[in-house]
Amino acid sequence: VMLTNMVGAGEVDGTLRTETMSECGKYGNVSDCTVYELPPGTPDDQAVRIFLVFDRTEEAMKAVIDLDGRFFGGRNVKAAFFSEERYFKKDLAPEEESESLD
């Protein structure tokens, strides 16, 4: 699962990962969480991507349904499924950027 617009550029702190894992634990077991910051100049609502790995697809589905459109700190959170293959390869940038980095 990928979350965007939870925080903006420069707002990532040392507790964001653990707080997100704890909060999302109500949907199921979160086996991994990665906070990925995009380079400066990225639109603020896309600047930070938070990736969550759930043990079961059903848990991820519950999280996406509940979190998409939810407000967090005055921000409208976007939740979507993300390719497991890309996640485990750590290919976390938007596709157009990852192609230009090759």
Side-chain angles (χ1 to χ4, degrees), residues 7-82:
V7 297
E11 296 177 4
V12 173
D13 63 25
T15 63
L16 181 61
R17 180 180 181 274
T18 55
E19 287 176 356
T20 303
M21 286 182 78
S22 176
E23 175 67 21
C24 292
K26 67 184 176 187
Y27 306 111
N29 188 52
V30 179
S31 58
D32 195 18
C33 178
T34 300
V35 177
Y36 181 78
E37 293 185 78
L38 291 164
T42 302
D44 195 55
D45 65 334
Q46 297 291 315
V48 179
R49 294 174 148 208
I50 301 172
F51 298 90
L52 299 161
V53 177
F54 289 90
D55 286 349
R56 299 178 43 209
T57 303
E58 297 83 9
E59 297 167 344
M61 289 173 64
K62 285 193 295 185
V64 168
I65 290 166
D66 192 51
L67 293 171
D68 191 46
R70 184 179 189 187
F71 280 88
F72 177 80
R75 293 175 168 274
N76 188 358
V77 175
K78 298 294 179 202
F81 292 103
F82 190 81

Side-chain angles (χ1 to χ4, degrees), residues 83-92:
S83 162
E84 285 184 51
E85 181 180 347
R86 285 186 59 204
Y87 177 79
F88 289 112
K89 287 181 179 177
K90 297 301 179 197
D91 180 13
L92 306 179

